[in-house]
Every structure is written in C-alpha cells, then in structure tokens.
Amino acid sequence: MHLARLVGIGALLACPFTASLFAQESQLKGRVTDERTGDPITGARVLLVGTSRIETTGQDGSYLFRTLSPGDHQVRVLAIGFSAQVKPFTVAPGELSALDFSMTPVPVQLDEIVTTATGQQSRLEIGNAIANIDVSKVTQEAPITEFGNLIQGRAAGVQVLKSSGVVGTGTKIRIRGSNSVSLSNEPLYYIDGVRVDATSQDYAYDIGGQSTSRINDINPEDIENIEIVKGPSAATLYGIQAANGVVLITTKRGAVGKPRWNMYTEQGVTEDKNTYRTNYFGRTDDPAFDPYCSLQNVADGLCTQTRIDKYNPLNDPDQRQFAAGWHQQYGLSVSGGSDFATYYASADFNDQMGAYKLNGFDFDSVNQAKNGNIPEEQLRPNKLSSLSLRANTVAKLASNADLNISLGYLTSQLRLTENDNTLNSMVGSADGSGVPEDLFRGWFIVPAQVFAEQNKQGIGRFTGALTANYRPRSWLTTRATFGYDVTNREDTQFWPTGEVSPDFYPEQNEGELNVTRAQTSQLSVDLGSSANYKVSSNWAGKTSVGGQFFRNLATNSFARGRGITPGGKSIFGAGTTEASDDYIESRSIGGFVEQQMSLRDRLFLTAGLRIDNNSSFGKNFNAQPLPKASVSWLLRDEQNNRLLNTFRLRSAYGQSSQQPGVNDARRFYTQAAVRLDAASETGVSLTNLGNPDLKPEKSQEVEAGFDAGLLRGRVTVEGTFFYKSTTDALVRREIAPSTGGTISQFFNLGRVTNRGFEFRIDSRILDGATLAWDLALSGSFTRNKLNRLGEGVAPITLGFNQQHVEGFPLGGFWAVPIVSFNDANGDGVIEIGEYTLGDSAVYRGSPIPTRELALNSGVSLFKDRLRIGTQFDYRGGHIVDNATEQFRCGGGIAYCRGLMDPTAPLHTQAVAAAGTYPDALGRTTEWGFFEPGWFIKLRELSLTYNAPDVWANYLHASHLSLTVSGRNLWTITDYTGIDPEVNGFGQANFSSTDFFSQPQVRYWMLRVNLGF
C-alpha cells in the first residue's frame, strides 16, 4: 500500500512537466581524445545535460546518442584523469550531428559520475560525501590479496579491520563508527545493483576466534570501481539495513570495438617473519618450584633462582612451524562489442597457501608419532583455492532500451587451522603454554596433534543481475533490476581417531566429524523511474520514484558423529550421532520518492522520502517514513583560474534504519526431548519471549562539507563534518524469571551517537613527462558515545573486560587502575604490597580506532614507463587488550617476564604482579595489559614497469607490464605484543583483543600483465 501511494505521488509530480513527442528522431555522435597525445579515451562518460542519459566511449573514443529531440542541448564529458568539458549544440529534426571533445589531463577531479539509488548522477549534484575508488588501476599495481585490500587506506572514514594473518580469515568494516549495541555494524553490499550476502562471520565451528567473511568471495580482478555511501544522510533511499553505510560495487563492462584480451599471472610468497614472545622460566634446584621459581617466590623465601631460561619454540629455527607459503593467480579476460551489444568475460584462478607448515616430530611419550607420509591437510593446514567466472553484457534492444546482464560464479575450498583463544593452535601452544624447552621441546600440545584437526569450508556461489533500462520519452527513464545471490556452503570439522591429545580432547580423540551444509539466498527486485524536465530557462527538475522487494532465506542442516573407526571419516557407523536443521526467512518491501531541482547547474536541491515494511518488525509497529534532504552549491567553476578552479559547499540530512534480528520480535519455542512416565517424548521449551512492539533502530545524520579544486586541477580538497544519532537501539533487558524459559528480552531502549570529521587531499606535486608525483592524504576523526542504555539496565559486559556504559564509547575497556607502584625495600623487585590499586573500575579506552590516516603516493618516471607506489596506513586513539600477555602472567602457570626476570623494568613487574596476585581486597587488575593500539604500517609498496611496445610485440601482444609488490612490510608501534592489528575474536562487533592470534603476514608478489 505504501509503495502504491509513493508511485501515485511521483506520477502526480511528473505530470505537469510532460513534454510532447518529438516529430523526427535526431542523433549525435562524436569522439573523445586526449589533448596531449591525440589518443582515444576509452570508457569516458558522455552525459546529455538535463536528462539521465549517459553513453560510454568505445575503444576508439567514439560515442553515439540515438533518438534526440530537436533543439538546443548540452553535453558534458567526464573521464578519470581529465578535466570535465561541457559543450552546447543544436540539432535539427532528423539530423545526425557531430561533436568531438579534446580532454585536458588533470591528476584529480571532483565531478565524476557516481551511482545513487535513483540512477547515475554527477557527484556535484549530491549533497553528501561519496568515496569513489578506481579499482581497475589498483589491481594491476597494488598487492591485492582479497577484497578488503581494495578499500583499505583509500576511503576516508572507512576502517578495514583485518583480524588475523591466517589465509581466508575475515575482515571487519566500519564506516563512520558503530551505530548499534546489539545488531551488526557492517555495511550493506551491492554488486551491479543487486544486494548480496556479506556475512562477516560465516564458519559454523569454533576454531578459537577466527572465521570467514563472505565479502572475500568477491574477485577484485572483476571490479571496475567501488563507491562507498557513508551514512544515513546518503543511504536513506537504500532502505532497511542501510544505516551502517552502503558499498556499491560495479564490475567491468565491455567497450565498443574489436575483442581485447587481457592475461595476467601473479606469483608470490607469504611469510611470517614475526618474532614471538619470549617465555621466561625461573630455574632452581628445588624441584617443587623448578622451572617456575618466580620473583614473588624468591621474595617470600620459597626458592632461589639459579638462572633464567628464555625460550619459545616459534623462535627456534628447528621447532618453528612456519615456512613460506605461496600465492599464485592466473586470469584471462576478453571484452569488446558493437554499437548494439558489448561484452566482458573472465576467468580467474587463485591459490594461496598460508605460512603454517608442520615440521616432523617423533615423541615416544606421546601417542601422536609422525614419520614418513603426512596428509597435506596436516602438513599445510591453511590453504585457499578459488575459481571465479564472470560474464557481463549490455545489449541495445532498441534506440531507447537496453538490457544489462551480469553473471558471476565462484567455487572455493578453504583449509583453516585453529587460531586465537585456544591452546590447540601453534601460537597458543607455544606462547600460551609456559612449557620449558626440556619438556616436549617447549610445546603444550605438539604440532602434529594441533594440525591433526581438519577444518574445511567449501563454497559454491552464484550472483546474477538483470537490469532493463527503457526511455519511453526523451525526458523519462525507467529501470528494473532483478537479482539473485545464492551461496551453498559446506563446513566440516574432523578430528581423526587417535590423532589428538587424549588428555585435553578425550571425546575428539575417539574420532569426531561435524558437517554443516547451508544455503543462503538473497532475492531482490528494484524498480525505478525518473522524469527530467525544464521549469524555466534557469530551473530544471528531476522526479524519481521507486520501490524494492527483498527476501533473505537461510537454511542449514547439521550432523555430528563421535566414536569413528580408526582410519574412517564418516558419520555413518559412528558410535553416537546427532542432527539438527534451521530455516530462517525475512522479507522487506519499500518505496521512495525523490525530488531534485537545479538552478543553472550550480545549485542543486534534493528532498526524498522512503517507507519500508519488514517481516522482522513487531506486529504492533507501523512503518514510519524516512526523510532526506540535501543541498549542493557550486560557487565557482573556472578551470583556467590559476588558484581556485572549483569550490562547492554541500550539506545533507537523512534517516535510515536497521531491522531487528529475524526472530527478535517473535515468541518461539524449541523442540526438546522430555521424559514422561519413564518414556521419551517430544516437547517444547520457550526460547524467546518476543516483543510485539519491537521496531527498527533508526539512525539520522546531518553532514556538511566542501570540495575545492586548486591550481588548475592539480590539487583537490574535500572535508566533511558529520553527526549521526541512532535511537531505538535494541538492548536486551532482564525480565522476571516467572515468564519461564528465558530471562531476557529485546527492547528499543538505547541511543548511540557518532560525530567526526573526515578529509581527503589529492595532489599532483610534479607534473612532467619525465617525472610525475601524485600524493593523496586521507583520514578521519570519529567519536562514538552510548548516550542511553535504558532505564534500569545495568552496564552490559562483553568480551574481556569490555562494557557498554552510558556516557562512554560502545564496548569500552574498563578495569581497576594501578594508581602507583614503588620498590619500597629497594631489592629491584615489585612485590605484593608495593603497588596500589584504585577503588573501582574506570574507563580505559575505545576498542575501535578513533583516528585513521592513509598516505598514498605514486611516482611515474620516463613517461609512465616506471611507476612506484606506496601506502602508509595509520590507526590510533584506541586500546588493544594484550590478553596473551595477561594469560601468560596470570593464567595459572606464570612465565611472563614481569613475574620471572629480576632485570625486567619495574613498570613491567608492576603490571604483571597486579594482574596475577590478589591485593588485600582480593582483587587483580588487567589495567596494565590494556595498551594503546596505534600503529603506522608500510601497507603497500609496488614497482611497475610498462615495457616498450617492441617487447610486447615480440610476444604478439599490445601491452606488457611487470609489477613487483609487497604488503605489510614494516610496522611502527608502541604496542608490546607482536601486532596491534589482530583480533582474537575475529569479526566480533566490538572486540579488540590480542589472544594467541597469528599476526599479519608479509606478502611479496610478481605480476605480469599482457594485453592483446
């Protein structure tokens, strides 16, 4: 009903401006070239001003507009790396006119085309900030190993939080902070107009803390560009779930011309060059305390240290379970077409081996003895292999209609090893064991047993989009997009019989196989129409209406078998079995109307309204409207001015929302086995009480900013202030136990705010034929605050000493502080009683970085023959919980330096002692293990050589380039752990914990590109 009303409103708005059909069709053709070289510019956008019509130049730089109405028109041409041009022309009835463009190269620009919910528009028309990343250039030069690498350091206000160095593990994305207390803070993802699954944690089994992310299914090689819609002010028209921002991905398309082939191969190594923590052991002649004769034991007169042993098997070349992994990739694509149809097709094979490798062990005292043949799954337990296929085509069905088809398929196989928050991992067994070298060679669980556990994930994924564009009138454009994204996933976890430690995993040592088969499908329908018209000689208008339908369906079945025959790997015949299944579905429907007015293409005013309904809402909730409004004012546009070429002021306001969990509002029961009269019967138990009044979380945002072009396009500056408030945030509150079955229920109680500033400066420092230097600096400063948790709701505890507390950032770290410490007796040791703790827990810091900066530099030498690229990445203003060191100090067996080594700094001793030994009130504190997590990383380094044409011709090619690149090459930080970037709880919402995680690994790669 809401959608019908919106369509009716849009029709009424458009009717007064209806124009008559033109009597005879006219056409316009032309060619776009580089002013400096005369070469054709492929892929330039040619806009018919005042309409929604956009054509793209072919391989020879040509374009063609069919079915033009007679009269005066304007054409604007936009091309990456060139200054925009606008030219007027007049066309007579039935005439074929010609209009050519010669473009002036500039390093940066402000007026490129971006994708909006109502279609493609010039960025100057939009009042909010949108980040645009030209991926097609990035993939050929930068060391890209997964999708998150494309965004990292290339969009202000967007944080890419990679949780581990294990190949195939996931990434957390945050845009302008965190909005929700209880729901996901991940953005939405669209590929070619189709909403796709981007689940951030998608492995069924506990392997410590890590998991997989579905965004890593996206093949970077097929992406043309990425646009990031940063907040509710811009995302209103995207509907439910858009409050966290939207990532719009456009895959590559063909261009008019003969077939163009592109081949590439990439070969490289993956290395873990980190130095792991040293384990300290106080040795003594007293067997009761050896090798754990601590400084406190010495102070208490219980033992005498004779020496300090320092050892970690991960730092021993003979014990180290790391070896260089490999990275290999092969790809082939072809594109081309005619005036009636263009095409792009590609195939890409990617094979990555992690840095873990089992070195042989033969321990007579352990059941696991490995000699000779070792299964590859155990020898190299971390590997990802994938095959991606894509086929895109654009067909001109008529002079006023076209059809876009986008098809993508992925199949992948991933092997994972346990990592984080577990001793059954390489890092946990070595860093977290405290076993001296003379016992099991320093391992808590020997590597062969750790790697015996096999974790695998198989993926088969299809994403398809069908978009039809129809222009029944020169002023009217309609669009229909149908999309389907389906992922079939199989997760397995296998513990071979007799292969793992019976002391720690007795059930698994008898053999255990877990299998989960799941399917997630997303069906979307998107309909829209836009009418462009002239109100007067100065004013022009655009009215857009649209609606969407979206369905998400997830099914899975689980089976487990325990007690498997040695050598077997089947649930059938296992000693005990169990099974379960799930079916979860949600649906949403929404509609919008948007009105834009423009004055002389300088002042743009936009207002819009959206209404959604969703199956996850409580039955008593009525859908509420979500408004938006924006203004963009181009005060200056003089490309030839030496100082200030372009200056724009902009501001935007908008609301968006996020739906509750699928079953949060529903009362539902779980089937359970019961005993009745000594017999087994089937019963149910109350699982969720539900809340019929539950409604979506609503985020509203206001932003204001400016864009400026300086020094004839050699410098552009963007700045944006934003304030975002999320109300009706879902909070789980305890309820009376008398309800039975459940003791908590979701309510719309909370309020969260995010405010900040983001900026970007692009510049061409040098602009010569022999030497050119591009420099881009971007960053943001964000402040997050939980303003309201709800009346009667106590602070919510999560993770390790993290809490949601009113007046502080979400998930902040809290602990009793170490007020002071002093070596009172002068023995060089901080003992019990020589430190003072505060009275109560206090706030220590935010788990999410509040500051991020990125410096991207590109130097071109000898007419672009040689190009050097770098990226430095900074994050700071947050805290990392060094839980690994806390465990090593106070985990039951003390072997950290602060407790064992008398030469350790007094601060280190105080932190260790306060975290291990209770004070007079029986308290310990993790305060000293909460450390500033700031870092600066040399994230990327690349050297690209574009070979002379004669080299390429020798290979019967038109282009040849070679790139050597590296990733994660150098780190500067005060953090005392190995890597402040890791997260021991994977992509969990607010965690920032270093707990036995494999640090980020280093990549070195060689890439060869061949064009034909």
Side-chain angles (χ1 to χ4, degrees), residues 38 85 162 199 205 246 314 370 402 447 503 544 598 746 795 902 990:
Q85 281 193 23
K162 178 68 176 175
T199 305
Y205 304 112
V246 183
L314 289 178
K370 284 295 177 183
D402 59 73
D503 297 328
S544 301
S598 62
F746 272 122
F990 301 103

Side-chain angles (χ1 to χ4, degrees), residues 99-135:
L99 189 64
D100 294 334
F101 291 83
S102 182
M103 308 289 285
T104 303
V106 293
V108 288
Q109 60 192 105
L110 294 174
D111 51 359
E112 69 266 23
I113 295 296
V114 295
T115 303
T116 67
T118 59
Q120 293 184 324
Q121 291 181 257
S122 169
R123 194 173 67 165
L124 292 177
E125 302 172 8
I126 301 169
N128 49 265
I130 294 180
N132 197 323
I133 303 171
D134 180 17
V135 176

